[in-house]
Amino acid sequence: MSEIRTNLGKTGIPATSLIFRNPAQITFLVHVCKELIASKGNVRIKIFAESRGEEAFGLAIALDCAGLFDACELHASDVDPNLVAIAQTGVIDKRNFARLPDYARSYFSIDQGGFYTLRPAINNHIFHSVVDVLKPRQMNGSYDLICLQNLL
């Protein structure tokens, strides 16, 4: 874990990879999930190119605040196993924590190293995996909602 935290700031991820960087998009996705849950009862969501997990964390928090998270199955992936390893820890840096809306800050705890960790009750229900979208056989199952915001 300490090695992952040491490398957190050295991943080469551009500054645009931030939690809650597009609040309007998150609001829209929550609305779509609400409609899908009303018609289906549950929703399977896939986030491609998750990087260090910021997109998945932000959506999971917003879904939980809306009382929808328990009806959602959230899968997030990236082609880079090092980034997926970081995402699996649920750790964000000070820059991302500073961007959080006040209501979302309670979802994180701070450790001695100055990093912030997403509550296990949320992060343990986000399924992080290594997936190369150019190899469709790596993608299992069907999804109700697919997010491709970071896919280049």
Side-chain angles (χ1 to χ4, degrees), residues 42-46 63 68-76 125-127 142-145:
N42 58 39
V43 178
R44 290 192 73 203
I45 304 164
K46 178 67 175 182
L63 289 168
L68 304 173
F69 188 66
D70 290 337
C72 297
E73 187 176 310
L74 187 56
H75 297 258
H125 294 283
I126 301 172
F127 303 98
S142 61
Y143 298 95
D144 302 299
L145 181 62

Side-chain angles (χ1 to χ4, degrees), residues 29 36 39 42 47 68 80 96 114 117 150:
L29 292 173
L36 287 168
S39 67
N42 58 39
I47 297 175
L68 304 173
D80 185 336
N96 272 301
T117 304
N150 295 329

Side-chain angles (χ1 to χ4, degrees), residues 74-91:
L74 187 56
H75 297 258
S77 63
D78 200 278
V79 69
D80 185 336
N82 295 318
L83 294 177
V84 172
I86 291 170
Q88 288 171 331
T89 67
V91 173

